[in-house]
Amino acid sequence: MGAISEVKRAAIPIGGLGTRLYPLTVDTSKPMVRFLNRFVIDFILDELALQGINEVFLGVSGFYNYRDLYDHLGERFSIRGLDGRRITLKLRYQPNIESVGNAHSISILADYYDINDNILVVQGDTIAKVDIGELTKVHDASEAYMTIVLKRVEDKESLRQLGLAKISKDNIIEDFVEKPADPEKAPSNLANTGIYLLSEDMIKFLRSDEFKELVKSGKGDFGRDVIPYLLSKGVKIVGYETRGYWFDIGTLQSYVRASFYLLRTLSPERLGVSTVYHDTVYMSGFSERSRKDHVDLIERAAKGLIYLEGSTLIGRHVSIEDGVSVRDSIIDNYVILRSKSSIEGSIIMDRSIVGQGSSVQSSVIGRHVMLGNNVRIVNSYIGNDVTIGDNVVIEDSLIWPHRSIEANSEIRNRRGPPS
């Protein structure tokens, strides 16, 4: 075997409407949903930069996907590495050509930017920890057309929404089924994470007339179309099982699970946290103003004026009035929690206001949401820029963005937009 190659480029196909994440994505792109007081795309790019990637191609398709990402990221993304030095990623964007799947998006990028060498592919709604160096070793040793990162999934019902692979003792993929109707008949519980390492030969295929013919018939998706097609032709595709975490945050439930899993497992440094209270309450911000805010919160918590408990993340410039209780929750930047409000097992996104005496339980509150006084939110998801009047009860519901809920309303089991 020759020298191990070094993968320095990655591509992130970003398409679709993100309907499974409604109402959080009705008016924004999936990668631009707030996540642990940042954006989903920030965590993806952080991980790539920390593992040596220096150039990323963003396969944006559609208005929200392009506008939101370009306006946030521009053409450079910079983080501080573990050694304190700055790491900068060069960002490039898909030209204004509509794609019919994530593989087609990579094809467009490869053609436009003349990509011919190995490239890593990561989906825009994937939060994962994969050792890229180890993945590259497996890929090179096997001389595979492409290597698929796999993750073992124990929940059988979840298998209905995943691509599943059967592998040989040599990790060669022998069978692949996309979203099996009957999980009991699935080839295995090894799920396709949507993370791929593509060889030069695979890139040539994506730039070939053969692939263009597939695209003409609407077959431009890796899992649904390309992988089964290549396997049928006897092409060597290898599976690499990751032991790290992996979340496809394309659904509301997985978004919440990923948020709290990472809150409980990532280091304070990785979360951008400068102050830790009682081991599990994290506070963000490094400025002099932020540190003063942290001292104030800790002093008032010690006096019993406020209650900060469980695995909790407090963002920058958060205002928490006396009598407030926060437990096992994520509170984003510039949020205001009025007196005697209660937040438990919930996510409150940036610039939202929770009124006096209101409670939020097991729910997600979008950006710039205004909750009146004595509001009760339970097991619900509230879209961006919603205004909720006093004395409202919302249970087991989805509320679309930019709505106004009249005072004294009761909403239960609303799962879609109002007619």
Side-chain angles (χ1 to χ4, degrees):
M1 184 182 70
I4 300 297
S5 62
E6 198 172 14
V7 177
K8 290 295 186 181
R9 293 166 134 190
I12 306 175
I14 301 165
L17 298 175
T19 54
R20 292 184 301 156
L21 262 181
Y22 280 1
L24 303 182
T25 50
V26 170
D27 57 349
T28 193
S29 170
K30 275 191 293 184
M32 288 300 295
V33 171
R34 296 293 288 177
F35 184 76
L36 290 170
N37 299 354
R38 298 179 69 196
F39 295 102
V40 170
I41 191 65
D42 294 340
F43 271 80
I44 297 173
L45 294 176
D46 274 5
E47 189 62 37
L48 293 174
L50 289 171
Q51 294 207 51
I53 299 295
N54 57 32
E55 186 173 22
V56 176
F57 301 86
L58 296 167
V60 290
S61 180
F63 172 65
Y64 284 127
N65 289 325
Y66 168 71
R67 182 204 64 181
D68 292 354
L69 269 81
Y70 190 84
D71 288 355
H72 170 57
L73 296 170
E75 297 179 357
R76 293 285 189 279
F77 180 81
S78 181
I79 68 166
R80 189 176 299 279
L82 299 179
D83 59 0
R85 292 185 295 179
R86 301 302 296 183
I87 304 173
T88 300
L89 293 177
K90 184 176 183 179
L91 304 179
R92 297 179 182 270
Y93 293 83
Q94 181 174 315
N96 194 10
I97 302 171
E98 288 297 311
S99 52
V100 296
N102 50 24
H104 186 213
S105 178
I106 302 303
S107 172
I108 293 168
L109 290 166
D111 265 346
Y112 191 80
Y113 293 106
D114 196 27
I115 299 170
N116 294 294
D117 50 354
N118 289 4
I119 191 167
L120 182 73
V121 175
V122 180
Q123 307 306 311
D125 56 3
T126 295
I127 298 293
K129 180 69 173 180
V130 175
D131 187 328
I132 296 175
E134 185 64 29
L135 170 63
T136 304
K137 289 179 183 178
V138 170
H139 178 76
D140 285 351
S142 64
E143 298 181 340
Y145 214 64
M146 68 182 293
T147 299
I148 303 175
V149 176
L150 303 171
K151 179 69 177 178
R152 203 167 292 278
V153 175
E154 301 302 333
D155 178 23
K156 287 191 176 180
E157 281 306 306
S158 297
L159 301 181
R160 296 181 189 273
Q161 299 299 320
L162 300 169
L164 302 170
K166 179 182 178 181
I167 59 175
S168 70
K169 292 181 180 179
D170 298 326
N171 295 320
I172 297 172
I173 293 181
E174 299 176 326
D175 190 16
F176 185 90
V177 177
E178 182 76 357
K179 298 182 179 179
D182 184 357
E184 295 291 343
K185 297 180 180 179
S188 77
N189 66 342
L190 284 172
N192 174 15
T193 65
I195 301 173
Y196 312 118
L197 187 51
L198 308 184
S199 67
E200 295 178 25
D201 287 339
M202 182 65 179
I203 295 296
K204 288 178 183 177
F205 168 74
L206 292 177
R207 299 182 67 177
S208 70
D209 291 337
E210 183 181 3
F211 178 70
K212 288 179 173 61
E213 287 300 314
L214 286 177
V215 170
K216 286 179 182 178
S217 59
K219 297 179 178 179
D221 183 80
F222 276 113
R224 186 185 65 243
D225 308 310
V226 175
I227 294 170
Y229 176 79
L230 291 175
L231 288 175
S232 72
K233 292 174 65 68
V235 169
K236 186 178 184 180
I237 300 177
V238 165
Y240 167 81
E241 185 178 353
T242 180
R243 304 295 180 183
Y245 59 79
W246 167 70
F247 295 93
D248 169 3
I249 58 170
T251 68
L252 294 168
Q253 293 74 22
S254 59
Y255 164 80
V256 172
R257 283 198 302 271
S259 298
F260 285 105
Y261 175 86
L262 293 187
L263 174 58
R264 295 183 177 106
T265 57
L266 290 183
S267 67
E269 293 78 15
R270 188 75 169 81
L271 290 167
V273 165
S274 60
T275 301
V276 180
Y277 172 63
H278 280 181
D279 295 329
T280 61
V281 177
Y282 290 174
M283 301 180 187
S284 303
F286 293 86
S287 69
E288 183 178 349
R289 166 62 191 270
S290 291
R291 293 186 184 280
K292 287 181 179 178
D293 289 344
H294 300 168
V295 170
D296 174 67
L297 291 175
I298 291 171
E299 287 180 347
R300 289 197 290 135
K303 294 176 182 177
L305 299 176
I306 59 175
Y307 301 91
L308 305 175
E309 301 173 320
S311 296
T312 291
L313 176 63
I314 306 294
R316 295 178 291 107
H317 310 299
V318 170
S319 174
I320 301 179
E321 297 181 357
D322 287 353
V324 169
S325 172
V326 181
R327 181 179 179 82
D328 292 319
S329 294
I330 297 169
I331 310 298
D332 206 343
N333 305 330
Y334 300 99
V335 164
I336 298 174
L337 304 179
R338 299 293 188 196
S339 62
K340 299 181 181 179
S341 59
S342 172
I343 314 296
E344 184 170 357
S346 297
I347 298 170
I348 313 293
M349 294 186 189
D350 56 325
R351 300 188 77 86
S352 290
I353 298 176
V354 178
Q356 182 176 347
S358 293
S359 68
V360 181
Q361 301 174 25
S362 303
S363 297
V364 176
I365 306 298
R367 309 181 71 183
H368 205 276
V369 173
M370 308 299 168
L371 272 63
N373 299 328
N374 302 311
V375 171
R376 184 168 178 260
I377 310 286
V378 181
N379 193 32
S380 295
Y381 298 85
I382 312 299
N384 299 326
D385 191 37
V386 171
T387 300
I388 299 174
D390 295 343
N391 307 309
V392 168
V393 175
I394 300 176
E395 297 180 353
D396 301 306
S397 294
L398 310 179
I399 304 298
W400 256 233
H402 317 300
R403 307 286 177 178
S404 291
I405 310 297
E406 293 184 359
N408 305 305
S409 299
E410 292 191 10
I411 298 174
R412 292 181 172 88
N413 299 307
R414 178 190 290 177
R415 310 307 293 179
S419 57

